[in-house]
Amino acid sequence: MSIQSSWGYLTENKTMAVDTTVNEHKTDKKMAEMAVKRRSVVEPPQCASPTEKGMVSELVYNEHQPAINHILLPLLRQSGNENRWLLWVTPNQRLSRQWLINSGLPLDKIVQLTQIRPIASINAMEKALASGNYSIVLGWLPELSEYEVNRLHLAAQRGTALGFIMRPQKLTHQLNSPPVRLQIHSIYYH
């Protein structure tokens, strides 16, 4: 008898039994407590941290500032030690092999999608995140709707992967904003 069916059996018998004695009631209660304990051992915890389940974040960067190297490269190097792949979804762009070597990233764990239309890159990133085969997926994507971002978040949680939507900073935005700005959103500090 499975845990779920034993729980149903116990609750049905408990409500159906009208003339139970005190000892029978205690036995039913003990059985129900044991079933709940077994059930909590079998089920995975529901409140895991976002990084354990996966997440997607948008990273706005300036191609002329080395901050991306200091923030993203250590994470990529660490993830390169896992048994999963690193995916770069870069429509019509090619990674520099020399840059990858100089950065210390494992060439044998990097996959790049270049021959893909920008609109198809959203679906490709979603499928890659959900697959569980990639520890990190970086995507240079077109503007996304809230619905598409939510789809990517759910896919990352299913595949326990990290996704980064990469956004190069626009020149007009650079002129209107301070030269160096890092904005970190946290649920711990407000």
Side-chain angles (χ1 to χ4, degrees):
M1 189 181 296
S2 73
I3 294 171
Q4 183 66 31
S5 61
S6 65
W7 180 255
Y9 174 78
L10 289 172
T11 56
E12 284 178 20
N13 283 348
K14 195 171 184 180
T15 57
M16 290 172 55
V18 176
D19 295 329
T20 59
T21 63
V22 174
N23 289 338
E24 287 174 348
H25 181 68
K26 286 181 183 176
T27 304
D28 284 347
K29 189 174 181 182
K30 277 186 182 179
M31 293 286 283
E33 287 173 359
M34 286 174 37
V36 169
K37 284 181 186 175
R38 280 191 210 136
R39 189 175 190 194
S40 65
V41 170
V42 172
E43 290 180 355
Q46 296 298 320
C47 54
S49 71
T51 55
E52 288 175 7
K53 283 189 159 189
M55 62 178 258
V56 173
S57 186
E58 185 171 357
L59 186 58
V60 179
Y61 66 95
N62 183 335
E63 293 177 355
H64 304 292
Q65 297 287 334
I68 192 80
N69 293 335
H70 299 295
I71 295 170
L72 192 58
L73 279 179
L75 179 63
L76 292 172
R77 283 187 203 115
Q78 181 182 354
S79 295
N81 295 328
E82 293 183 19
N83 290 333
R84 300 190 296 169
W85 298 80
L86 303 172
L87 177 64
W88 302 66
V89 182
T90 56
N92 304 320
Q93 301 283 333
R94 292 196 50 86
L95 285 172
S96 164
R97 183 176 176 84
Q98 192 58 48
W99 178 82
L100 291 171
I101 292 169
N102 293 344
S103 298
L105 296 175
L107 295 178
D108 60 338
K109 296 229 178 148
I110 293 180
V111 178
Q112 183 184 20
L113 292 178
T114 59
Q115 300 300 318
I116 188 169
R117 294 177 304 154
I119 196 71
S121 61
I122 300 167
N123 290 335
M125 186 169 179
E126 180 183 10
K127 288 177 183 177
L129 287 168
S131 73
N133 293 326
Y134 302 95
S135 55
I136 296 180
V137 179
L138 298 124
W140 280 258
L141 305 177
E143 289 298 318
L144 301 176
S145 68
E146 188 175 332
Y147 173 74
E148 291 168 326
V149 172
N150 286 335
R151 280 183 25 209
L152 291 176
H153 279 288
L154 291 173
Q157 289 177 349
R158 274 192 308 268
T160 62
L162 295 176
F164 291 101
I165 301 167
M166 305 298 288
R167 299 265 184 243
Q169 204 173 39
K170 295 182 173 100
L171 184 58
T172 57
H173 183 63
Q174 290 176 8
L175 299 175
N176 296 333
S177 66
V180 177
R181 182 175 72 189
L182 179 62
Q183 187 173 10
I184 300 174
H185 297 279
S186 173
I187 59 170
Y188 304 111
Y189 307 105
H190 290 282

